[in-house]
Amino acid sequence: MSGWTCQVGPRFYTFPDLKTLLARATPVRSGDELAGVAARSAEERLAACRVLAEVPLSHFLEEWVIPPEGDAVTRALLEHHDREAFAPIAGLTVGEFREWLLRFETDSVVLAQLARGLLPEMAAAVSKLMRNQDLVLVASRCEVITRFRNTLGQRGRFAVRLQPNHPTDDPRAIAASIIDGLGYGCGDAVIGINPATDNLVNITRLLQLVDEMIHQHAIPTQGCVLAHVTSQMEAIRRGAPLDLMFQSIAGTEAANTSFGINLPLLAEARAMALDLHRGTVGQNVMYFETGQGSCLSANAHHGVDQQTLEARAYGVARLYDPLLVNTVVGFIGPEYLYDGRQIIRAGLEDHFCGKLLGLPMGCDVCYTNHAEADQDDMDTLLTLLATAGCNYVMGVPGADDVMLNYQSTSFHDVQYIRQLLGLRPAPEFESWLWQQGVLDRQNRLLPMPSGHRLLTGDR
């Protein structure tokens, strides 16, 4: 197919290729406007959506937004595409696929069987035709369960990454934030520290700190220091106690190169983490973070819209069987997602696409201080994502990350969501919280007296 033309009113709109069509059909966002790929009017966007609805899903196997000969990500996505899993929807158009997803009969079992049959571009395409409620409803049917020292992603459960960052990596301040978060029932997804300085001595010290706290209190969770993957690999070689291997990833080879990574390196890192055999109930050892706009900021977007590229990053993550994946949805800034409305839409798209592709999706419900957004917008997105079955969110002291200088969700926000929707922590972690007297059997928070073992350091 050489292109498409659609008439809206008196005007005709032409879309010469698939990547242009996908970009023009995308809801408004500042990053696509900055890249010069966005629709130039609401009418053009409507025309693009009309055309996209008629595109056969099979066409995505014939035309690529980034040709495989110039991009290792495209090659890997095509190599791992499961044609047998794709077969039930192979005859559908993108619009028909949307209707298929919304059927009563399309349940969690059907969606799990489909996941490996979808290319990321297919998930991105159908999301562009969906209202927010569609994104919430379909994502809520996707159940993706992973395991390391506890079990994450089960229906009715809602986990938290405890994020105790500090601007100088002060171990006492970090430990205090960890204890504070545990006292609110947070930390079952991971206790994950963004180091202020990415040097080997500091990374090893932080890994040891988290490991000692986990083992001292027999906490059924996992630790992670979110340094560059090569730094973590070197820390392993020197005997550091690493649970999860972290890396930020993107949807093009060029963007990943700008991060200092490639697909073979990620495979090597995963093999190193697996060789440590530190998991107790499973061996999902990888943790990935993504975010719309990363390819554009690296000048590695190839003229593709940022949401489609974000879905391709999930295709990368899927290659390595991760424990956790999350979109840091508002972190890059208003140049990519201008305001609360754009951040909310992007968060729902990201979560939907990741879950549809079979990933254990979480979200850093966040914004930067120069974005046209506030904490009320984050309350809205948090509530929508929890309703949509999001696996986990961040727990940041006071919702204000004093090292990364952005606004996220707090320990208190997690309590709001768990109470509102009757959601519970990961099962192994929940039992530990009962034993520690942090929660009662109705999962209500209990006061932590001054002599509590978490405060005194006693076992």
Side-chain angles (χ1 to χ4, degrees), residues 446-457:
L446 297 171
M448 187 180 290
S450 58
H452 193 281
R453 62 178 66 90
L454 286 174
L455 299 175
T456 63

Side-chain angles (χ1 to χ4, degrees), residues 31-32 34-35 249-250 252 254-256 258-259 291-302 304 306 309 331-333 335-336:
D32 290 338
L34 180 64
I249 56 174
T252 71
N256 285 323
S258 76
F259 290 165
Q292 289 194 28
S294 58
C295 293
L296 175 57
S297 66
N299 194 28
H301 61 96
H302 300 275
V304 181
Q306 64 185 37
L309 293 172
F331 181 74
I332 301 183
E335 299 84 2
Y336 306 94

Side-chain angles (χ1 to χ4, degrees), residues 139-294:
S140 72
R141 297 173 179 170
C142 300
E143 186 177 26
V144 184
I145 298 172
T146 55
R147 296 175 174 87
F148 188 76
R149 290 203 189 98
N150 57 30
T151 306
L152 300 171
Q154 291 174 317
R155 199 169 301 282
R157 305 283 178 172
F158 189 71
V160 191
R161 171 188 160 190
L162 203 170
Q163 185 170 309
N165 297 343
H166 189 269
T168 64
D169 289 333
D170 184 329
R172 293 185 300 173
I174 290 172
S177 292
I178 293 173
I179 295 300
D180 187 23
L182 291 171
Y184 281 95
C186 299
D188 43 351
V190 63
I191 300 173
I193 305 169
N194 297 93
T197 55
D198 191 349
N199 68 71
L200 197 57
V201 172
N202 188 52
I203 292 164
T204 301
R205 181 167 57 94
L206 294 176
L207 285 169
Q208 290 171 340
L209 168 65
V210 177
D211 184 66
E212 288 170 4
M213 293 191 72
I214 287 174
H215 284 90
Q216 179 181 0
H217 297 289
I219 308 170
T221 191
Q222 37 281 330
C224 185
V225 174
L226 285 71
H228 192 271
V229 65
T230 54
S231 299
Q232 296 168 82
M233 292 167 74
E234 184 58 32
I236 288 177
R237 294 185 187 102
R238 301 190 183 193
L242 183 141
D243 292 337
L244 302 185
M245 183 70 72
F246 168 82
Q247 182 56 44
S248 295
I249 56 174
T252 71
E253 179 181 8
N256 285 323
T257 298
S258 76
F259 290 165
I261 62 169
N262 54 47
L263 303 187
L265 177 65
L266 294 177
E268 181 185 356
R270 177 174 180 264
M272 290 183 69
L274 284 171
D275 284 345
L276 298 176
H277 300 288
R278 292 176 62 85
T280 55
V281 297
Q283 289 296 323
N284 298 112
V285 297
M286 301 300 286
Y287 174 17
F288 294 118
E289 285 191 343
T290 66
Q292 289 194 28
S294 58

Side-chain angles (χ1 to χ4, degrees), residues 313-333:
Y314 303 150
V316 172
R318 191 169 61 177
L319 301 173
Y320 305 100
D321 199 20
L323 180 77
L324 305 167
V325 179
N326 73 264
T327 167
V328 193
V329 65
F331 181 74
I332 301 183

Side-chain angles (χ1 to χ4, degrees), residues 71-86:
D71 187 86
V73 170
T74 302
R75 293 195 297 273
L77 295 177
L78 293 173
E79 179 185 349
H80 289 85
H81 179 243
D82 187 333
R83 296 265 183 165
E84 184 176 344
F86 177 61

Side-chain angles (χ1 to χ4, degrees), residues 300-380:
H301 61 96
H302 300 275
V304 181
D305 70 273
Q306 64 185 37
Q307 191 257 332
T308 298
L309 293 172
E310 176 72 0
R312 283 170 55 95
Y314 303 150
V316 172
R318 191 169 61 177
L319 301 173
Y320 305 100
D321 199 20
L323 180 77
L324 305 167
V325 179
N326 73 264
T327 167
V328 193
V329 65
F331 181 74
I332 301 183
E335 299 84 2
Y336 306 94
L337 296 169
Y338 178 73
D339 57 16
R341 181 177 180 179
Q342 291 187 17
I343 293 170
I344 289 168
R345 174 68 190 190
L348 294 178
E349 289 170 348
D350 293 351
H351 177 255
F352 163 84
C353 288
K355 277 294 190 66
L356 197 60
L357 292 167
L359 288 176
M361 284 299 296
C363 183
D364 192 343
V365 179
C366 64
Y367 64 101
T368 57
N369 290 313
H370 60 311
E372 290 293 322
D374 59 26
Q375 212 65 33
D376 284 339
D377 295 315
M378 299 305 103
D379 287 349
T380 299

